[in-house]
Amino acid sequence: MLVVVACLVAATLGFVSYAPNRLLSGAAIGVVPAMRLAASPGPAAVFGVTGLVLLASPFLPRRAAWEWAVILAAGGCAAAVLWLAGSYAEGMAAEGPAVARTSLGAACWVLLACTLLLAGDAAARLRLGPAGTLLAAAAIAGPATAVIAAGAVDQLSLAKEYANQRDIFFDAVVRHGEIVVAALLPTVLAGIPLGVATHRRRALRSVLFPVLNIIQTIPSIALFGLLMAPLSGLADALPWLAGLGISGIGMAPAVVALVLYSLLPVVRNTVAGLAGVPAPVREAALGMGMTPGQVFWRIDAPLALPVLLSGVRITAVQAVGLAAVAALIGAGGLGAIMFRGLFANALDLVLLGAIPVILLAVLVDLLMRLLIALTTRRGA
Amino acid sequence: MTSPRQALHLPGPLAWLVVAFIALTLGMPALRPVFAALFPYLDRPVYVQESFVSLVLAHLELVAVSSGAAVVVGVLAGIFVTRPAGAAFRGVLDTVVAMGQTFPPVAVLALAVPALGFGEPPALIALFLYGLLPVMQNTIVGLADVPEAAREAAAGLGMRRMQVLWQVELPLAAGVILAGIRTSVIINLGTAAIASTVGSKTLGSPIILGLSGGNTAYVLQGAILLGLLAVILDLGFARLARALPRRPS
């Protein structure tokens, strides 16, 4: 118990030592001047109150109620940081020239990261079930979402960039999702039977795993590149394939590469899940007169499901990131916005692409974890 | 699960791949007729902006520096939080590792640019930070998995704490730590290639240039070398892991 309290002290010390904050925008502005120049005193007040709770968090008794208080305070604090920055931007926009842009500075990001870390730590200690996890996630992300939705940050450069790119942005998000889903469906449909077959035939295992392993080893950008030439050759040779949208660049090589990458975790975890079914359980089922088919569907499948799903989770999170790289071969998606920003040295554009990719990955991770928790509870 | 065992019994694959890699790196310009035949519509079928040797060296340097730093810091951090003095930090580190690995490496690389500007520093720092996570995770897991009995036996033999760490705990955890280093290096190798988009010179450069300029030959040249390099490093790590003393279990 003391250990955990001390661990929070450590987190909090780090948190405070970042305190000489700057809201960077060409010229760096400290957090205190930012409060003074902000359009309204609201965010500073919220920031102060929630910040105090977070500072006090290591000294609070370790009760569930206090952990929840920390989570709520962290959510509020993150929102207040954004609100403060937005409010400052508003104040500056009212005085300064219309083209002036205020962007979030390093301290802002550090503060956000620290609040999330404190919240994550508190949530980890609560050992939440599925419903609790969802509630905690809502408590952490809710206030910030509300602040953004209310338009409190509209004067920040990132929000302006978003407003300029709104249509492109939504198309990119949809496209990103399409790539991920288009890759995951065949992976799961092919990976699970492949895993079952591999589990039953050991010979297959010694061939399949090294091959999949080598594919996973090859860097994504190289795999995309290696698939380009054969696919474009294929499309040239068989025009009807090109008619289906198969070509060297675009979604086809992206989806093919993603499927190849994603197979390993799914197959490996299917095998591991099936191997983890205790032999006595299967024998008991057979003894009760179940047919092998029944044993598979009623015993093996439900017991192996959580392990299998955690393979799908790894794959899905990985696919979100790989889909961003796929923008380089013209597959579109959020990566396209990100790389356009990198090539054009437009930093807000980079953020507009990269931050949603991270959020998407975290969201997918969270949802898959919930699903795994639900299936485990039922199976246990 | 990671070692393609039967392949490694042969002396061949790794050595042959290294030979092929070196030959391709040095001899890419000599393959000009091949690429010209494959891609007759390209004016410049071979990437000549920089020599492939310099690209390979720059790429390896980027990975070596970032992963090297990540290994040193990651292993030290992992050792620290598994000691009584650092146990307080364990929870925070676990949270960082779990959260951080959800972040796609590309996004981390892209975020380093607004924070640090273009060129080598953001790539190095992003690769370092990202490479840190698997090393820390596996060091913590590896050390935590050392059986308490082994530790007590060593202490009972009169070993001092540092001796227990060096002669008992680290050797027992070496396999798991090495697996973390392998993950870190392989991820960094791939992410370093993407770092060409933020201004680093790597094997990704011909790929990116080829993609943006519609030159499939450039893409292929960069991709083949990069893929070979990754497989070579992976097999090298597998061999290294087999060379470690077997953990009694």
Side-chain angles (χ1 to χ4, degrees):
Chain A
M1 180 173 181
L2 258 173
V3 174
V4 183
V5 174
C7 134
L8 263 179
V9 174
T12 316
L13 283 179
F15 184 61
V16 177
S17 71
Y18 291 122
N21 298 294
R22 299 172 302 164
L23 285 168
L24 195 98
S25 68
I29 309 291
V31 67
V32 175
M35 281 182 189
R36 224 179 303 124
L37 291 170
S40 79
V46 178
F47 180 67
V49 172
T50 54
L52 275 180
V53 175
L54 291 182
L55 282 181
S57 61
F59 310 107
L60 297 174
R62 276 193 60 225
R63 289 214 202 91
W66 284 113
E67 305 284 16
W68 277 108
V70 170
I71 291 175
L72 283 173
C77 192
V81 169
L82 286 178
W83 189 11
L84 179 62
S87 179
Y88 169 76
E90 233 167 84
M92 292 313 279
E95 288 174 23
V99 289
R101 283 195 159 195
T102 312
S103 32
L104 298 175
C108 218
W109 296 115
V110 171
L111 277 172
L112 286 175
C114 284
T115 51
L116 288 183
L117 209 57
L118 279 171
D121 210 40
R125 246 173 298 113
L126 278 171
R127 297 180 191 289
L128 296 166
T133 308
L134 214 55
L135 207 61
I140 294 166
T145 315
V147 164
I148 294 169
V153 294
D154 279 357
Q155 292 301 321
L156 284 175
S157 59
L158 186 58
K160 284 185 176 172
E161 191 70 54
Y162 163 72
N164 290 341
Q165 311 274 350
R166 192 189 298 259
D167 293 339
I168 301 175
F169 180 79
F170 276 113
D171 288 347
V173 173
V174 171
R175 190 67 193 264
H176 208 96
E178 279 172 6
I179 299 172
V180 172
V181 172
L184 281 184
L185 278 183
T187 304
V188 172
L189 289 181
I192 294 175
L194 215 53
V196 173
T198 312
H199 174 64
R200 293 187 179 162
R201 289 197 186 72
R202 301 208 161 246
L204 194 58
R205 195 180 304 193
S206 61
V207 177
L208 194 65
F209 277 163
V211 171
L212 290 179
N213 223 328
I214 285 177
I215 292 175
Q216 263 256 308
T217 306
I218 295 174
S220 51
I221 190 170
L223 192 60
F224 287 136
L226 290 174
L227 285 172
M228 249 178 91
L231 279 175
S232 62
L234 209 62
D236 286 344
L238 304 167
W240 60 272
L241 273 180
L244 286 176
I246 309 271
S247 68
I249 59 165
M251 258 184 93
V255 168
V256 173
L258 253 63
V259 170
L260 288 175
Y261 267 118
S262 309
L263 273 177
L264 180 64
V266 173
V267 174
R268 190 174 56 200
N269 281 40
T270 307
V271 172
L274 289 173
V277 176
V281 176
R282 308 189 71 232
E283 279 155 21
L286 284 171
M288 283 168 63
M290 282 193 189
T291 62
Q294 282 177 320
V295 172
F296 178 78
W297 286 111
R298 299 215 193 142
I299 310 291
D300 286 342
L303 285 178
L305 195 59
V307 183
L308 191 160
L309 282 177
S310 74
V312 178
R313 176 183 72 81
I314 295 168
T315 282
V317 172
Q318 184 182 275
V320 171
L322 290 174
V325 181
L328 286 173
I329 53 166
L334 288 164
I337 297 182
M338 195 175 83
F339 285 118
R340 197 150 58 87
L342 283 177
F343 289 134
N345 201 0
L347 299 183
D348 286 317
L349 214 51
V350 176
L351 292 178
L352 193 64
I355 293 175
V357 171
I358 291 181
L359 291 180
L360 204 58
V362 171
L363 190 69
V364 168
D365 186 65
L366 182 70
L367 291 179
M368 286 303 302
R369 278 180 197 279
L370 283 177
L371 196 62
I372 293 166
L374 285 174
T375 54
T376 310
R377 177 171 293 182
R378 210 185 56 193
Chain B
M1 97 202 162
T2 47
S3 69
R5 259 171 255 96
Q6 67 283 78
L8 281 167
H9 278 306
L10 308 166
L14 185 54
W16 280 116
L17 283 172
V18 172
V19 170
F21 177 73
I22 293 173
L24 272 176
T25 307
L26 294 172
M28 200 62 95
L31 289 177
R32 191 189 159 90
V34 178
F35 285 107
L38 275 173
F39 306 97
Y41 46 89
L42 291 176
D43 294 335
R44 294 191 198 82
V46 174
Y47 185 81
V48 287
Q49 279 78 343
E50 290 107 7
S51 75
F52 280 97
V53 178
S54 71
L55 290 179
V56 168
L57 290 179
H59 198 128
L60 285 177
E61 187 192 326
L62 186 58
V63 175
V65 173
S66 59
S67 286
V71 167
V72 172
V73 176
V75 170
L76 285 179
I79 291 175
F80 177 63
V81 300
T82 46
R83 303 303 101 187
F89 297 86
R90 168 102 187 249
V92 179
L93 213 58
D94 282 343
T95 311
V96 172
V97 167
M99 283 214 258
Q101 286 189 322
T102 329
F103 292 14
V106 200
V108 175
L109 183 70
L111 285 184
V113 171
L116 302 156
F118 279 81
E120 294 287 334
L124 264 179
I125 290 176
L127 290 182
F128 163 70
L129 285 178
Y130 205 82
L132 204 54
L133 302 177
V135 178
M136 282 202 296
Q137 182 175 39
N138 281 36
T139 307
I140 296 175
V141 170
L143 288 175
D145 276 358
V146 171
E148 197 53 46
R151 225 172 268 144
E152 279 164 14
L157 286 170
M159 284 192 186
R160 281 173 292 117
R161 269 197 193 159
M162 281 308 274
Q163 282 178 314
V164 175
L165 176 65
W166 278 107
Q167 297 176 14
V168 178
E169 293 182 79
L170 283 179
L172 284 175
V176 183
I177 298 176
L178 190 67
I181 296 174
R182 173 182 166 277
T183 308
S184 159
V185 168
I186 297 292
I187 292 180
N188 275 358
L189 192 76
T191 314
I194 301 170
S196 317
T197 57
V198 302
S200 298
K201 198 178 72 164
T202 69
L203 278 175
S205 308
I207 303 181
I208 306 284
L209 190 70
L211 287 173
S212 57
N215 189 327
T216 315
Y218 285 5
V219 178
L220 213 54
Q221 287 149 19
I224 289 174
L225 287 181
L226 185 57
L228 267 179
L229 193 57
V231 174
I232 288 172
L233 283 180
D234 192 53
L235 289 181
F237 271 111
R239 188 164 281 198
L240 211 57
R242 287 198 319 142
L244 286 176
R246 283 265 157 250
R247 182 177 170 164
S249 60

